Amino acid sequence: EVQLLESGGGLVQPGGSLRLSCAASGFTFTTYGMTWVRQAPGKGLEWVSTVIGDGTTYYADSVEGRFTISTDNSKNTLYLQMNSLRAEDTAVYYCAKGRDRIRISSGWDYWGQGTLITVSS
Amino acid sequence: QSALTQPASVSGSPGQSITISCTGTSSDVGGHKYVSWYQQHPGKAPKLMIYDVTNRPSGVSNRFSGSKSGNTASLTISGLQAEDEADYYCSSYRDFSTVVFGGGTKLTVL
């Protein structure tokens, strides 16, 4: 059974940093791309970042230069390092598994339960 | 990165069919085959319903179907059921290796 379990959420001050983790199980982690999607309270979904199977990373303009996506294949874990956080980064962050190794948007077929990040002083 | 355009809400009675549109540009919906649709119930994670415009993942009811014409993709749900009441989001690959979502559509089953 595929499982994705996010952790690392919480309250952080503007300008601060936070690292999210997504522990994956039930599939061969290196065979699929992985993605972060966020959802601000009461709002729609927003794509944040994707890492595909060859390690290439992609970012939304809104987080480029502030967020870094990475994986630890030995731990089957996806990360999102978030720096210079802003109030508008407040959202539930979901990790999601891609349907294949290379395409960044051919559907995300498994999602974690989400972790809430609140950026506020 | 402006969102794809979806109607804010649609509604239908049990047993009826509804269609949700998702309008983009030639840089995203019109120019690529990577359109997906997600269902999200309140407080839950999204669920993939359609990928690559027309394909249904294993386990998704065949009452759900996807299509595309020009810059507009569509999700059709036939034989509406109470459990279909949810928010629906489209997403598409966009030029220069980005992904964009629609603003979401709230489906109400009357």
Side-chain angles (χ1 to χ4, degrees):
Chain A
E1 178 192 8
V2 172
Q3 289 192 333
L4 299 172
L5 185 62
E6 300 100 339
S7 60
L11 175 64
V12 61
Q13 293 188 336
S17 297
L18 211 56
R19 189 178 80 159
L20 305 183
S21 300
C22 172
S25 61
F27 64 100
T28 304
F29 187 66
T30 54
T31 306
Y32 298 93
M34 297 292 295
T35 287
W36 290 98
V37 173
R38 69 185 180 183
Q39 186 169 35
K43 302 297 184 182
L45 301 174
E46 180 187 12
W47 173 73
V48 173
S49 181
T50 294
V51 56
I52 61 174
D54 66 358
T56 305
T57 58
Y58 304 91
Y59 298 93
D61 289 347
S62 58
V63 307
E64 179 85 54
R66 299 189 299 124
F67 290 11
T68 301
I69 191 171
S70 63
T71 59
D72 184 333
N73 293 336
S74 68
K75 296 182 178 179
N76 287 351
T77 299
L78 173 73
Y79 300 102
L80 186 68
Q81 177 67 43
M82 303 184 295
N83 299 330
S84 303
L85 283 161
R86 307 165 179 166
E88 54 264 37
D89 296 318
T90 294
V92 173
Y93 285 71
Y94 295 99
C95 66
K97 169 189 165 293
R99 288 187 50 259
D100 64 25
R101 185 171 180 269
I102 292 299
R103 289 175 292 180
I104 75 168
S105 179
S106 182
W108 301 302
D109 53 3
Y110 289 91
W111 295 63
Q113 84 289 349
T115 187
L116 176 63
I117 308 303
T118 302
V119 184
S120 175
S121 54
Chain B
Q1 291 161 327
S2 54
L4 306 175
T5 300
Q6 297 181 233
S9 63
V10 298
S11 62
S13 300
Q16 288 186 332
S17 295
I18 63 95
T19 297
I20 299 172
S21 61
C22 170
T23 301
T25 69
S26 58
S27 296
D28 38 64
V29 174
H32 303 280
K33 64 176 182 177
Y34 301 124
V35 176
S36 300
W37 289 91
Y38 299 88
Q39 176 192 66
Q40 187 180 35
H41 287 107
K44 301 295 187 181
K47 175 185 177 183
L48 179 65
M49 306 303 285
I50 296 288
Y51 66 92
D52 294 354
V53 180
T54 61
N55 296 300
R56 252 186 336 270
S58 174
V60 171
S61 170
N62 60 9
R63 297 186 299 106
F64 292 82
S65 62
S67 62
K68 188 180 81 165
S69 177
N71 295 337
T72 298
S74 298
L75 173 71
T76 298
I77 309 173
S78 59
L80 265 182
Q81 299 179 0
E83 68 242 37
D84 298 332
E85 185 163 295
D87 293 326
Y88 290 84
Y89 295 91
C90 61
S91 74
S92 174
Y93 176 84
R94 174 177 278 179
D95 289 351
F96 308 113
S97 301
T98 61
V99 181
V100 62
F101 277 99
T105 298
K106 181 177 180 61
L107 169 62
T108 301
V109 180
L110 302 170

